[in-house]
Amino acid sequence: MNISYAGRFRCAVQDGRGRVVEETGWIKNLVLDQGLKYLGNGAGAEIGEFATLYIGVGQKAVAATDTALQTRIGADVYGAATAGNPTHSVNYDPLKPQYITRQQVVTRFGPFQSSQNLTEVGLGAGVGGDYFLLTRALIRDATGTPTVLTVRKGGYLTLTYELVQVWDTAPATYQVQAQVKGTPTAVNVTTKLCDVGTLSYQTLNTQVTRFFADAEAFAGDIGNTIADHPGGERRAITTPKGRWQFDEATLTSTATISIQGITFADGIKALRLPTTRGIWQVGLTTAAGKGVVLQAENVFEVVLSIRHARYEGAL
């Protein structure tokens, strides 16, 4: 299962009277390695949300391994930072295999205490007396060339940041061999998103990848769209779930669910797996149209993997 992330920003420079004197178009940025790793396992910081914008005057080329702006400036330089209300929107076309959310964060910096030639921006969050950076970018002109954005003393900068999350809604199908009542049986598996969860996503969900409720087994089939959940009788899977493991090389969060002591007349045909990275459903059917039938002593294990990546498509 795949989730991708991307971001872009735009700047507007105002004079002391609030009149716009220079604007940029949308500029795409880079989601940093440490940002993707945080989204996968939350290591290195305890963050409520990514909603703080940072500005600087460094000109070093952006690299995925960056952990901070090269030369960040603070309130002693830009005066105050006034955050607007975050907004969010959803783009979902059932004919396309993507569910996209967009979160915008707007901050007005100023009045500047001295003139500054701004060159870099980032999105992150404060951590104690320091900060954690999710993304970094250089300010660029219309041709994509790094440039300088000058804010005069007494002037203001309005920075609008849009963060994009993309869920892959296309079903993944494969086949596994399982011992069903002692008989080797081919089980057809279908996995897909059935909900993005209950959070508003006004800012990027920064919870560690984990289960937020019991997984459930169903007697009916999986739903057809992300608004549909599996049908039929259902039962909570209360057996212990495996601890989430994070592979930094593949940026993948993985957990194992063990199912025991649950059965329906035609077996378990679907699972519902509620995670902080979306609610996923898994269909389980044999060639005979049955589900997985478990005897009392049987244990059926399901491994759930969520891969975090940069979104390279058009924004």
Side-chain angles (χ1 to χ4, degrees):
M1 299 161 181
N2 299 300
I3 305 175
S4 305
Y5 309 89
R8 61 180 183 172
F9 68 96
R10 63 185 179 189
C11 305
V13 177
Q14 297 103 18
D15 62 19
R17 296 183 179 181
R19 296 174 300 188
V20 175
V21 296
E22 187 174 1
E23 291 182 287
T24 70
W26 284 109
I27 302 168
K28 194 171 181 179
N29 75 330
L30 183 68
V31 180
L32 303 175
D33 285 350
Q34 73 169 17
L36 289 175
K37 292 174 183 178
Y38 180 90
L39 296 172
N41 70 353
E46 187 63 37
I47 297 170
E49 61 184 15
F50 289 112
T52 304
L53 299 176
Y54 300 94
I55 56 178
V57 294
Q59 299 184 16
K60 180 176 75 73
V62 176
T65 53
D66 289 345
T67 59
L69 296 185
Q70 182 186 17
T71 311
R72 177 168 66 106
I73 63 173
D76 59 323
V77 176
Y78 58 68
T82 305
N85 292 325
T87 61
H88 73 288
S89 62
V90 171
N91 300 100
Y92 175 60
D93 182 345
L95 300 179
K96 296 181 180 179
Q98 293 176 333
Y99 184 99
I100 302 174
T101 63
R102 300 175 182 272
Q103 303 82 42
Q104 284 195 1
V105 180
V106 181
T107 298
R108 190 184 195 220
F109 297 89
F112 275 63
Q113 306 303 295
S114 60
S115 296
Q116 295 291 317
N117 293 321
L118 304 177
T119 53
E120 57 178 341
V121 304
L123 172 70
V127 181
D130 204 351
Y131 73 113
F132 184 95
L133 207 60
L134 175 73
T135 69
R136 179 174 178 253
L138 295 181
I139 296 172
R140 298 177 182 273
D141 62 20
T143 68
T145 302
T147 189
V148 168
L149 200 63
T150 300
V151 182
R152 302 295 181 189
K153 181 179 180 180
Y156 297 84
L157 171 73
T158 298
L159 179 58
T160 302
Y161 212 103
E162 183 176 80
L163 199 56
V164 177
Q165 296 180 86
V166 181
W167 282 263
D168 183 356
T169 61
T173 59
Y174 51 95
Q175 192 176 82
V176 298
Q177 295 295 321
Q179 293 286 333
V180 179
K181 288 189 173 181
T183 303
T185 304
V187 179
N188 300 308
V189 181
T190 301
T191 62
K192 63 180 181 178
L193 184 72
C194 66
D195 201 335
V196 295
T198 59
L199 299 180
S200 66
Y201 291 101
Q202 289 192 357
T203 52
L204 184 62
N205 174 10
T206 55
Q207 295 186 63
V208 177
T209 301
R210 60 176 177 82
F211 294 106
F212 66 80
D214 282 337
E216 295 175 310
F218 289 78
D221 295 323
I222 60 175
N224 294 319
T225 73
I226 63 170
D228 298 329
H229 293 248
E233 184 183 355
R234 65 180 177 181
R235 296 181 189 171
I237 301 171
T238 57
T239 49
K241 294 180 281 289
R243 183 188 179 116
W244 282 93
Q245 304 293 327
F246 183 71
D247 185 336
E248 290 196 359
T250 61
L251 297 173
T252 301
S253 305
T254 303
T256 300
I257 301 168
S258 297
I259 306 169
Q260 187 175 20
I262 296 177
T263 186
F264 303 107
D266 286 334
I268 299 171
K269 286 188 174 182
L271 304 174
R272 181 178 177 273
L273 310 176
T275 81
T276 52
R277 293 281 168 249
I279 302 174
W280 306 87
Q281 56 183 336
V282 181
L284 304 165
T285 57
T286 66
K290 304 287 187 179
V292 176
V293 179
L294 300 179
Q295 295 178 342
E297 70 277 10
N298 292 153
V299 176
F300 187 72
E301 290 189 338
V302 176
V303 178
L304 173 63
S305 294
I306 300 175
R307 182 174 179 269
H308 310 268
R310 296 178 181 90
Y311 180 64
E312 303 297 344
L315 298 179

